[in-house]
Amino acid sequence: MDKIIVCLIGSGNWATIMARNVGRNVINSQTMEEKVLMYVYEEYVDGRKLTEIINTTHINVKYMPDFELPPNIVANDDIVTTARDADIIIFAIPPSFVSGCCKTLLGKVKPTAHAVSLIKGFERGEDGQFVLISQIIMRQLKIPCSVLAGCNLAHEISNDHFAEGTVGCRDQKYYRVLHDIFRSPTFRVVVTEDADCVEICSSLRNIIAFGAGLSDGMELNENTKGGIIRRGFLECIQFVDVFYPGCRMGTFFEACGISDLVTSCYANRNRKLAEAFVKTGKPLSELEHILIPGHEPLGPVTAELVHQMLKKKGLEDKFPLFTTVYKICTGEYPLTRLVDCLMKAREDIFHPLHTFQL
């Protein structure tokens, strides 16, 4: 029986950290090929190619200079060579690069390959809705794509602190394989078939984290932040029920749901951006280049796309926190409306389809 070949597309800090887990796990597996190719966008560091540095020192000096990779992780600057023989293709690149990479790989990967997205984000759809990254990969490469999300701050995992993630797997035969390649003694992995919900949670939490940052910027108390988290969690459940019916209620209580949400409201770039937005009075367009260079401000962007989706269905008043965060971002609402929306939110729960399964 041929061994399973795994590759990684991406070499940023999150990709590098997951590469360590994957590299260690395949070495100890009887069913997986030991060598793992990692696609690295070629750069020069102190006059040397980054791929050469990684392959000789086993350190990604550009993104994780204090973090050593296993020797079986091999950097490669050709994305097609990296992926063409792989059975499992792990994507860990910025959302804006996904379509371009998939176009390059179209027709050049195994038709039986299985992709996994570690990417937090989405693309804007032509119809005004956000398009999940896994859907883009599946549509363009014509292969299944699972997802990994959860409460997993990169720097904490790199220091072997406890963290956990949820794999939303679209093919049952990969349940055990994906669990085994990502886990570590300090990284707990749970696998579910509810892939869409896993991925949606990782996007919606950015709106709530931005709301928590607004609260921090106004120096409101922890009870207020707790109220934002509670209300935001409720609206996540409602949103999925409306736009992605059929998801399981239990998924919201996995790492991709409540754990990632709480962590993001205390340690997330969107929280940091919102706090600075309040304290400095500077426009978001200026602050994002200072505080999160190279990253799209997913809190405001997600809030905008979600608002468009809610507006089409006339549901803005059913999602007061999502609506308020969006309108504070645009300047339509003053900051004081944040607490007002918590005080005046209706107590009934809007679930038009009642399709959740436990």
Side-chain angles (χ1 to χ4, degrees), residues 52-350:
E52 177 190 339
I53 296 172
I54 293 173
N55 289 335
T56 54
T57 68
H58 309 300
I59 295 174
N60 186 343
V61 294
K62 175 74 175 180
Y63 297 103
M64 294 294 291
D66 300 316
F67 185 83
E68 186 171 352
L69 287 165
N72 61 319
I73 298 294
V74 180
N76 190 304
D77 65 356
D78 186 303
I79 190 171
V80 173
T81 303
T82 301
R84 66 186 175 193
D85 297 322
D87 300 294
I88 297 177
I89 306 171
I90 302 168
F91 286 85
I93 53 179
S96 57
F97 294 169
V98 173
S99 288
C101 287
C102 287
K103 287 176 183 176
T104 302
L105 291 172
L106 179 60
K108 298 181 176 70
V109 300
K110 288 182 177 180
T112 56
H114 190 97
V116 185
S117 171
L118 275 54
I119 302 163
K120 294 185 176 181
F122 49 85
E123 275 198 3
R124 299 169 184 261
E126 293 179 1
D127 58 357
Q129 296 194 144
F130 57 72
V131 183
L132 301 177
I133 296 299
S134 65
Q135 292 174 348
I136 296 169
I137 294 171
M138 288 191 291
R139 184 177 67 232
Q140 295 196 14
L141 293 185
K142 309 295 190 296
I143 59 175
C145 182
S146 297
V147 297
L148 170 66
C151 115
N152 37 48
L153 298 173
H155 66 280
E156 294 191 0
I157 297 176
S158 70
N159 291 319
D160 289 319
H161 295 158
F162 173 79
E164 53 186 359
T166 310
V167 172
C169 185
R170 298 190 193 274
D171 188 336
Q172 286 191 349
K173 74 179 182 180
Y174 283 96
Y175 272 31
R176 174 53 60 181
V177 175
L178 296 185
H179 172 273
D180 290 348
I181 65 173
F182 289 120
R183 68 177 178 85
S184 80
T186 56
F187 187 59
R188 178 177 180 267
V189 175
V190 172
V191 182
T192 174
E193 64 185 19
D194 202 5
D196 280 350
C197 192
V198 170
E199 193 168 5
I200 295 159
C201 284
S202 73
S203 292
L204 295 179
R205 52 108 196 192
N206 291 308
I207 304 175
I208 306 157
F210 195 88
L214 295 174
S215 175
D216 290 340
M218 290 186 281
E219 299 183 352
L220 302 178
N221 58 21
E222 295 299 328
N223 288 329
T224 303
K225 185 182 279 191
I228 291 169
I229 294 171
R230 182 199 67 81
R231 182 69 212 182
F233 184 61
L234 173 62
E235 292 187 16
C236 282
I237 295 173
Q238 293 180 160
F239 184 89
V240 171
D241 197 15
V242 173
F243 294 97
Y244 297 88
C247 293
R248 295 180 178 274
M249 179 68 80
T251 306
F252 293 96
F253 296 91
E254 293 294 348
C256 62
I258 188 65
S259 296
D260 196 15
L261 171 58
V262 173
T263 304
S264 298
C265 288
Y266 284 90
N268 176 279
R269 62 173 66 101
N270 292 287
R271 188 217 64 81
K272 180 181 178 182
L273 179 66
E275 182 178 25
F277 174 63
V278 175
K279 289 187 173 181
T280 67
K282 294 180 179 179
L284 288 169
S285 58
E286 180 180 339
L287 288 170
E288 66 184 78
H289 295 299
I290 299 171
L291 298 176
I292 52 173
H295 295 279
E296 192 172 27
L298 291 177
V301 172
T302 310
E304 178 188 358
L305 295 182
V306 165
H307 182 74
Q308 291 174 5
M309 295 168 71
L310 295 176
K311 190 174 182 178
K312 283 185 178 180
K313 290 184 176 286
L315 295 176
E316 298 103 310
D317 64 326
K318 300 292 186 181
F319 294 80
L321 181 64
F322 286 177
T323 299
T324 298
V325 169
Y326 166 70
K327 292 190 174 182
I328 287 175
C329 288
T330 63
E332 186 175 343
Y333 279 179
L335 290 167
T336 53
R337 289 293 291 268
L338 183 63
V339 175
D340 288 346
C341 89
L342 298 176
M343 287 293 297
K344 298 174 182 177
R346 292 168 60 97
E347 292 304 313
D348 59 313
I349 299 175
F350 179 68

Side-chain angles (χ1 to χ4, degrees), residues 16-55:
T16 302
I17 289 165
M18 282 295 102
R20 181 179 68 174
N21 284 15
V22 172
R24 288 174 174 176
N25 288 328
V26 298
I27 285 178
N28 296 317
S29 171
Q30 300 297 315
T31 61
M32 298 185 194
E33 176 63 44
E34 285 191 10
K35 182 180 177 181
V36 176
L37 293 181
M38 179 173 73
Y39 169 65
V40 176
Y41 178 78
E42 194 67 278
E43 302 177 70
Y44 283 84
V45 180
D46 295 330
R48 295 177 65 194
K49 290 182 177 180
L50 182 56
T51 52
E52 177 190 339
I53 296 172
I54 293 173
N55 289 335

